[in-house]
């Protein structure tokens, strides 16, 4: 749903995070207005909304929408969300998902269609010192899933940049790098008070190619969709109702070893 505050009354307790993003055209270095930014992250105990899968079940299943939302960037390419610092889950370093849509159609039920340009699929990762501070407070302390640190998680380490791992899609070579010498996926941040549980303000700039469209790419897969009558599994998705698609940044629904989780 199109909304700034993606926290809901249930399943959204945690350290408040005011996250500001600026999308910049890589050709002109100018902010890009009208980008519909789709954001989602796990709650404090490492569970996503909008999923129905064994091992990581969202209360209310496909009908749940907590910690998910969409907004359009302003004239400076800036968009802001009110969310919480994401919880961790087994097999993944702590992260926040982002998906950039352009040329969208806004529906009467305050959603957008998926038949549009996907110009960026990405994730934000979080400073380990900050993650440790956040997870020392309730309800993060009730999360029993194993922690994977940034250094132990190869997909956001220097592994990709040092190995130059690439894939070819639609005759275009894409270098998959989530952290390296030219891109830093870790937002800047400040405490909004004396302690971390007073809340956080974080910000980052993201460069996009406004002419790109990854809607047919292996890295884009919609596991479920939301209509006026609630959530529905996408039967055409290779990953079904697990919710792992839509920018997992790995392969088409393939997760590292560990508990299957939505992305």
């Amino acid at each position: 749903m199109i909304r700034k505050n993606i926290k809901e009354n249930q399943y959204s307790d945690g350290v408040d995070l005011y996250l500001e993003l600026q999308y910049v055209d890589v050709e002109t270095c100018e902010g890009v207005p009208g980008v519909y930014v789709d954001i989602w992250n796990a709650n404090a105990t490492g569970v996503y909304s909008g999923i129905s899968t064994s091992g990581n079940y969202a209360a209310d299943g496909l009908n749940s929408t907590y910690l998910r939302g969409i907004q359009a960037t302003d004239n400076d390419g800036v968009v802001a969300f009110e969310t919480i610092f994401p919880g961790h889950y087994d097999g993944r370093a702590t992260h926040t998902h982002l998906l950039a849509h352009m040329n969208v159609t806004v529906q009467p039920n305050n959603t957008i269609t998926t038949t549009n340009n996907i110009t960026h699929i990405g994730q934000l990762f979080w400073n380990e010192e900050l993650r440790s501070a956040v997870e020392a407070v309730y309800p993060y302390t009730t999360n029993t899933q194993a922690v994977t640190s940034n250094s132990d998680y190869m997909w956001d380490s220097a592994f990709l940049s040092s190995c130059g791992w690439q894939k070819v899609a639609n005759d275009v070579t894409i270098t998959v790098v989530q952290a390296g010498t030219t891109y830093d996926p870790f937002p800047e941040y400040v405490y909004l008070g004396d302690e971390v549980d007073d809340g956080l303000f974080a910000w980052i700039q993201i460069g996009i190619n406004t002419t790109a469209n990854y809607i047919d790419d292996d890295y884009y897969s919609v596991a479920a969709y939301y209509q006026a009558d609630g959530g529905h599994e996408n039967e055409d998705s290779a990953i079904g109702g697990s919710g792992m698609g839509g920018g997992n940044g790995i392969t088409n629904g393939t997760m590292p070893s560990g508990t299957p989780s939505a992305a």
Side-chain angles (χ1 to χ4, degrees):
M1 292 178 287
I2 300 172
R3 56 183 180 176
K4 178 178 182 178
N5 186 349
I6 64 175
K7 295 177 291 183
E8 296 184 359
N9 291 333
Q10 291 184 298
Y11 319 119
S12 298
D13 292 338
V15 173
D16 289 334
L17 172 64
Y18 187 91
L19 179 61
E20 191 168 282
L21 314 160
Q22 184 181 34
Y23 283 77
V24 177
D25 189 324
V26 294
E27 298 294 333
T28 66
C29 295
E30 298 291 333
V32 184
V35 178
Y36 277 78
V37 181
D38 193 342
I39 186 173
W40 67 102
N41 59 259
N43 70 3
T45 56
V47 180
Y48 289 90
S49 65
I51 63 171
S52 181
T53 182
S54 60
N56 195 350
Y57 179 74
D60 303 322
L62 293 168
N63 291 324
S64 59
T65 57
Y66 61 85
L67 303 179
R68 293 180 182 266
I70 300 171
Q71 276 199 105
T73 58
D74 64 17
N75 289 335
D76 295 314
V78 175
V79 66
F81 289 94
E82 296 175 29
T83 181
I84 66 166
F85 189 88
H88 71 267
Y89 56 90
D90 191 18
R92 295 294 315 278
T94 301
H95 60 281
T96 299
H97 289 273
L98 300 171
L99 189 68
H101 309 253
M102 297 184 70
N103 304 317
V104 309
T105 299
V106 177
Q107 300 296 334
N109 65 345
N110 202 38
T111 66
I112 66 172
T113 60
T114 57
T115 54
N116 49 67
N117 292 60
I118 304 298
T119 53
H120 182 267
I121 302 171
Q123 300 174 30
L124 304 179
F125 292 89
W126 297 93
N127 176 283
E128 279 293 331
E129 181 178 354
L130 176 61
R131 182 194 62 76
S132 296
V134 168
E135 295 200 333
V137 303
Y138 181 85
Y140 299 89
T141 51
T142 67
N143 188 348
T144 60
Q145 299 190 69
V147 175
T148 300
S149 68
N150 291 318
S151 60
D152 290 336
Y153 183 56
M154 70 174 183
W155 296 101
D156 97 84
S157 69
F159 168 80
L160 293 179
S161 56
S162 65
C163 292
W165 186 55
Q166 297 180 327
K167 68 183 287 289
V168 177
N170 302 325
D171 298 324
V172 177
T173 300
I174 303 170
T175 302
V176 183
V177 176
Q178 292 188 347
T181 58
T182 58
Y183 178 64
D184 181 1
F186 295 90
E188 301 290 330
Y189 67 91
V190 294
Y191 284 21
L192 293 178
D194 293 332
E195 304 295 335
V196 69
D197 52 3
D198 292 325
L200 299 163
F201 171 60
W203 66 97
I204 194 169
Q205 288 181 312
I206 298 171
I208 62 172
N209 179 352
T210 59
T211 64
N213 189 4
Y214 301 110
I215 199 165
D216 294 322
D217 189 80
D218 289 344
Y219 286 81
Y220 177 74
S221 180
V222 176
Y225 56 93
Y226 195 78
Q227 293 184 316
D229 61 347
H232 299 268
E233 181 178 328
N234 180 13
E235 296 180 355
D236 294 330
S237 172
I239 50 181
S242 67
M244 289 187 289
N248 58 36
I250 304 168
T251 60
N252 190 17
T254 303
M255 299 290 290
S257 59
T259 302
S261 302

